[in-house]
Amino acid sequence: MKSKSFVLLLTCFFCFFSCKDTKEQVIAEQEKSVSATENSVNATNEETHYDETPAADIKAPDTDKTVHISEKTIVNTEPENELEQISLPPSVKEEPKVDSRLKFKLGEVSTDELDVKIRGLFDTIEDKIIAEDFEGWYNSLSNNYRSFIDDPDELLKMSKKSGYLSRKKIVLRSSKDYFDYIVIPSRKGVALKYVNFQRIDEKNIKVNCMLDGNMNFGYDFIYENESWKLDKK
């Protein structure tokens, strides 16, 4: 009987200490779990930082600052003016207008028509003078004649030799002056009439005229630049 009681007592002590150890293990496990949870919460709080600065102390971003853009980043994509890229041809000098009566070749004119054609040369020059058409008259002159009346030295010589120009105190300075003060006055009050012509060669003709009914006068014509021109000998 005593032996059973002792065994029962030992059993009770074993159960008591076993329960105690189990309870302590459960408590330890719970403490570990709570500690791990707290560590996780602290870590989260450290990562999530809330600025506790008062709203009144927060400065708004400065929008007045000038933004500088490098000129290197700006690319002009507009097409250039096409007119500036086109190379314009040089201006072509217009040929002087020549009276159609001066355009013929001796070899293409019959003997019967030749006198009419030559008289046309005479009439062309006289018409330009009477009309005081300087441009038409100048375009009917040979290169030699133009060079002569375009030369300032020659014009000055004529101005000094002419009693008429000296009395008027006129100094010729251009071919236009020559036309205005020499050619046109020479026809005032006088008549120049066609008489006949003399054919020198295929490119030279002499037209015989009568000035004021009693003075012989001659026009020399030369064929150059595809037309007949009044020449100066």
Side-chain angles (χ1 to χ4, degrees):
M1 187 68 178
K2 290 181 181 179
S3 175
K4 291 180 179 181
S5 298
F6 179 75
V7 171
L8 182 59
L9 182 59
L10 288 174
T11 301
C12 290
F13 275 110
F14 177 77
C15 292
F16 174 75
F17 286 108
S18 296
C19 291
K20 184 177 181 180
D21 293 337
T22 300
K23 184 177 181 180
E24 290 176 353
Q25 290 177 357
V26 170
I27 292 171
E29 291 295 333
Q30 290 179 349
E31 289 177 351
K32 288 180 179 180
S33 177
V34 171
S35 177
T37 301
E38 290 178 350
N39 291 336
S40 176
V41 171
N42 291 334
T44 302
N45 291 336
E46 290 176 358
E47 293 177 358
T48 306
H49 175 73
Y50 296 95
D51 190 358
E52 296 180 356
T53 304
D57 295 335
I58 299 176
K59 295 182 179 180
D62 189 358
T63 58
D64 294 333
K65 291 183 178 180
T66 303
V67 179
H68 296 280
I69 301 176
S70 174
E71 293 181 355
K72 294 182 180 180
T73 62
I74 300 176
V75 180
N76 183 13
T77 59
E78 295 181 0
E80 295 182 359
N81 191 342
E82 295 182 357
L83 293 178
E84 296 178 355
Q85 299 177 357
I86 298 175
S87 178
L88 298 178
S91 58
V92 179
K93 186 178 181 180
E94 293 185 2
E95 291 293 330
K97 295 180 180 180
V98 178
D99 195 295
S100 60
R101 291 174 289 181
L102 302 177
K103 296 181 178 181
F104 67 90
K105 294 181 180 180
L106 292 180
E108 298 176 355
V109 179
S110 66
T111 304
D112 295 336
E113 296 178 331
L114 189 55
D115 186 71
V116 176
K117 290 289 188 181
I118 302 301
R119 185 185 291 268
L121 300 180
F122 168 81
D123 290 339
T124 299
I125 301 302
E126 289 304 299
D127 289 347
K128 307 301 181 186
I129 295 174
I130 293 172
E132 299 185 6
D133 179 8
F134 167 74
E135 183 178 356
W137 176 81
Y138 188 82
N139 291 338
S140 303
L141 303 182
S142 67
N143 293 330
N144 179 54
Y145 202 155
R146 292 184 188 184
S147 298
F148 177 76
I149 61 176
D150 285 336
D151 188 341
D153 293 335
E154 292 295 338
L155 293 174
L156 183 58
K157 289 178 183 180
M158 283 188 283
S159 301
K160 292 180 178 181
K161 289 181 179 181
S162 172
Y164 169 79
L165 296 178
S166 296
R167 288 192 301 270
K168 296 284 186 178
K169 296 182 179 180
I170 297 173
V171 178
L172 303 178
R173 303 184 184 279
S174 66
S175 55
K176 181 66 165 57
D177 288 346
Y178 178 87
F179 181 72
D180 290 339
Y181 299 116
I182 299 293
V183 178
I184 292 179
S186 68
R187 296 299 188 272
K188 298 296 184 181
V190 296
L192 185 66
K193 294 184 179 181
Y194 171 81
V195 177
N196 55 31
F197 73 93
Q198 181 182 357
R199 179 173 177 173
I200 299 174
D201 55 37
E202 291 298 312
K203 292 188 175 182
N204 290 274
I205 295 175
K206 187 175 185 66
V207 176
N208 299 313
C209 313
M210 184 66 70
L211 181 63
D212 208 18
N214 57 18
M215 184 180 296
N216 293 329
F217 183 82
Y219 271 149
D220 293 303
F221 286 91
I222 184 171
Y223 189 81
E224 64 181 23
N225 299 327
E226 303 301 321
S227 67
W228 290 97
K229 307 290 186 182
L230 180 61
D231 196 21
K232 183 173 181 63
K233 298 300 185 181

